[in-house]
Amino acid sequence: AMEILEEAKAAGLAQTGDNVREGISYMCNCCGCCCGMMRGIKQYDIYDGIVPSNWMATVDHSLCRGCTKCAKACPADAIEVVPTEGKGLRKNWAVVDEDRCLGCGVCGDVCRWDAHGMEPRREQSYIPADTMERVALMAIERGKLGDLLYDNVGSRLGQIAAKSLSVIERMPPWKAAMAATRLRSVFLSTLSDQLRARSGPVA
């Protein structure tokens, strides 16, 4: 297994896995051209398709030569080579987009000038406990919590509702408030629909 990982690293692939802490179903070594989730980041700005590591790429501009090798290797298009505007000895240098960076370390592997490093991410990534929690979290982030709660019936409904509320409780206050507002709106909307259905058409 370690040999496979070393081969993947040598090929410039980014290691990703199922975005959960328990019951991991897969581990993958991905490139930016074939992986559907990587393409989602690159083409459609869907950043939550892959949970980033708790590390982020950095660039030492005193060492960077602006060669573009890291930008070409980055599977998430998180690196751009831009003009230094007279701030350095070189004409261009690499900059990292923090929102796109996965913390995979591919840029450091390809940099021959040792200009790339890794540092702890300022905001640590939250990794869902299991698949159910991941689904609930994605629904909340995309404003689809109501669809998740009310489009599922049977015994799974209670599980999903409980997991959704558990995720909300662990969110930052502003995000929890936003999710709770959506949840209240769903309840009110559903109640109104039921009342209208019972009362029949208005004359």
Side-chain angles (χ1 to χ4, degrees), residues 66-197:
C67 69
T68 74
K69 199 168 184 179
C70 59
K72 293 175 181 177
C74 179
D77 282 353
I79 300 175
E80 184 179 6
V81 176
V82 300
T84 61
E85 298 179 352
K87 296 178 182 177
L89 298 176
R90 308 287 174 180
K91 292 183 178 180
N92 303 297
W93 58 27
V95 293
V96 178
D97 184 332
E98 296 184 11
D99 291 330
R100 287 178 175 268
C101 179
L102 299 175
C104 64
V106 168
C107 52
D109 291 336
V110 301
C111 181
R112 59 180 295 191
W113 312 109
D114 293 327
H116 279 277
M118 302 291 286
E119 67 179 13
R121 200 176 289 270
R122 284 190 288 271
E123 291 187 10
Q124 298 291 293
S125 302
Y126 176 74
I127 301 176
D130 52 29
T131 301
M132 185 72 75
E133 184 170 305
R134 182 186 65 187
V135 171
L137 184 61
M138 290 175 67
I140 290 169
E141 290 180 342
R142 296 175 183 179
K144 299 293 185 180
L145 180 59
D147 296 340
L148 182 65
L149 289 175
Y150 290 97
D151 287 350
N152 289 272
V153 295
S155 60
R156 286 177 56 83
L157 178 59
Q159 298 175 27
I160 293 171
K163 189 66 72 173
S164 299
L165 295 175
S166 174
V167 172
I168 291 175
E169 289 176 350
R170 290 195 296 273
M171 284 182 167
W174 67 270
K175 205 166 189 178
M178 183 172 62
T181 299
R182 288 174 178 157
L183 189 57
R184 284 197 299 271
S185 298
V186 168
F187 275 117
L188 291 174
S189 176
T190 302
L191 181 59
S192 298
D193 291 343
Q194 289 177 349
L195 290 174
R196 281 196 296 270

Side-chain angles (χ1 to χ4, degrees), residues 33-50:
C33 57
C34 301
C35 174
M37 290 187 290
M38 293 287 189
R39 289 204 308 271
I41 297 174
K42 295 172 67 172
Q43 297 177 14
Y44 305 107
D45 295 331
I46 302 175
Y47 299 135
D48 58 359
I50 298 176

